[in-house]
Every structure is written in C-alpha cells, then in structure tokens.
Amino acid sequence: SDPAHGAACTALFKLVPPMESPGGPGLVLVAVGLPGSGKSRFFNRFLQPAGAVRCSQDLLKRKEKVEDLVKETLAEGGIAYVDRTDYDAKQRQPWVRVAKKRGAPVVALRFPASKDICIARCTARSNHEGGLDGRDPGKVRMVVGMLSSRSKPVAAKEGFDRVVDVPDDDAAAQKLAEDVLKTTSSAPPPKKRPAADDSDSSEPEQDDSDDDDFAPAKKKGKARK
C-alpha cells in the first residue's frame, strides 16, 4: 500500500468526523460521469475513509434499492454517495428530491473524462462488478458510447446545492473531497407533516421506465392523424 495515501486518508478522516445519528440531516453526493470516469475510485480513496456509504447500482442492481439505501443512510445522519452514471436530469432528480425532503445538502460531482478515455479504462479493467470490462470490448464501446450520447449537463434548476468537477490529480481530488464534505444545505428545513400523514401526495409521480443505465433508447412513434 501507499504510505502517503494512508496518511492522507487518516488526515481526512480526522478532518471530517462521522455525522451524528440521527440529529443531522446527512449529505447526498451524486456522481455524474460515464463508466470508467473514476466515480468508484474517488469514493474508495477519498470518501470511504470519512465514513461515506457507497450506494452503487452496479452492486445493488436496481435503482429502487439504491434509493432505499440513500434514505437509510440519511435517516442515520450519514453521507450517501450515489454511484451511478446519472447522465441526465431525470436520472438525477430522485436524489435531489430525497435530499430536500430530509433537509440534507446535495452535491453533484461531475467526472468529466472523455468517452475515448472511459472506453480505454473500461477495456483495461477485469472482473468489474458491473460486468463492463475487457472481457467484452464491443459491449464497452456500445454502452459507453450510448451513455455519452445521452449525457446532459447539470443545470442550475435541478436543485443541487453545489456542482463541482472532480480532478484526476489525487492531491487536488483530496482537497475537493475535504471541501465537499463540509457542504451545508442552502434550502430551508422541510416542514414537518402530521404524524398520520406518511404519503408523498405533494410529490409528482416519477416515471422510472428509463431507470436502467443500460436500457436502449426509446423510439418515438409517429402520431396518428
């Protein structure tokens, strides 16, 4: 192991102590980037030492399970790291909604590595938990290319408290992690509902038909005359 990296992780852990449970609202960090852009690596090196919880669709397989883990983490006042591609506003919106409902700050972490770099990285790796690796280079090119074509920039109106780019340089990435973990919410605390009302009637229904990151794009049918 790298002694310098270990010392850096220890310093980061001391700087950002685990959030108290259940007093604090917690924190939601939403990764936005292609497969191979460094989302999981950033968590392992800079967020896990601070006690963050990785909410990964590669591991949990279903978006609903990812959302459940985010909610559980926030309920304990913890740091939830959403590790998905989250390529457009529709994919990112549930995490903002969950955070705002809890009164927790929510940050978008953009991983801007290019399509070609991500294809090369994915092809070079082996036994990836999501199955996107050198065992099937054709699948890597197809999936990364498809997600790249679908990717949309994070807009101010999406409701994130902060939107930041994650640098490739480890020293800069560590400083960013230290800064991001101090984020507080810019939104007012949520209003308390009566105990008997546990519904989400004020929230619009969500269309989760495109939840799977690898779902093929839908074809628009012609309108009937």
Side-chain angles (χ1 to χ4, degrees):
S1 60
D2 183 354
H5 173 60
C9 288
T10 300
L12 177 60
F13 185 79
K14 290 179 179 178
L15 177 67
V16 187
M19 293 188 178
E20 296 182 1
S21 169
L27 171 65
V28 179
L29 304 175
V30 181
V32 179
L34 297 173
S37 60
K39 302 185 298 296
S40 300
R41 181 180 184 277
F42 181 76
F43 171 83
N44 292 332
R45 292 182 73 87
F46 306 114
L47 298 180
Q48 188 175 32
V53 176
R54 184 179 175 220
C55 306
S56 167
Q57 189 155 324
D58 282 339
L59 294 174
L60 299 173
K61 306 305 179 186
R62 296 286 298 169
K63 185 177 181 181
E64 293 83 0
K65 291 185 177 181
V66 177
E67 186 166 343
D68 287 343
L69 182 55
V70 171
K71 290 178 179 177
E72 291 172 10
T73 303
L74 289 182
E76 296 175 356
I79 306 164
Y81 179 71
V82 182
D83 190 351
R84 300 176 72 249
T85 301
D86 287 315
Y87 52 83
D88 64 12
K90 182 179 178 181
Q91 295 289 315
R92 297 185 285 261
Q93 195 274 335
W95 320 121
V96 176
R97 187 180 76 248
V98 169
K100 298 301 183 185
K101 186 174 180 180
R102 171 73 183 176
V106 55
V107 179
L109 300 174
R110 296 183 299 199
F111 292 79
S114 70
K115 177 183 71 174
D116 290 341
I117 288 176
C118 291
I119 289 174
R121 288 176 178 174
C122 289
T123 304
R125 63 192 184 186
S126 59
N127 297 317
H128 180 254
E129 58 203 12
L132 201 62
D133 52 41
R135 291 172 293 182
D136 192 343
K139 179 181 177 182
V140 169
R141 289 191 295 272
M142 184 272 292
V143 171
V144 176
M146 177 185 65
L147 293 174
S148 177
S149 67
R150 293 188 185 184
S151 296
K152 303 296 181 185
V154 180
K157 65 181 181 180
E158 290 184 40
F160 288 98
D161 293 292
R162 295 178 66 187
V163 180
V164 296
D165 288 339
V166 178
D168 280 336
D169 177 73
D170 277 358
Q174 180 186 331
K175 290 181 180 179
L176 176 73
E178 294 171 358
D179 179 58
V180 163
L181 290 170
K182 300 174 187 176
T183 303
T184 57
S185 178
S186 61
K191 295 180 180 179
K192 292 185 178 180
R193 293 180 176 180
D197 180 10
D198 193 29
S199 67
D200 286 334
S201 58
S202 63
E203 303 287 353
E205 288 292 327
Q206 299 300 314
D207 176 8
D208 290 335
S209 58
D210 289 333
D211 282 351
D212 189 347
D213 276 351
F214 299 158
K218 292 183 177 180
K219 295 183 179 179
K220 296 182 180 180
K222 294 181 179 180
R224 294 181 179 178
K225 295 183 179 179

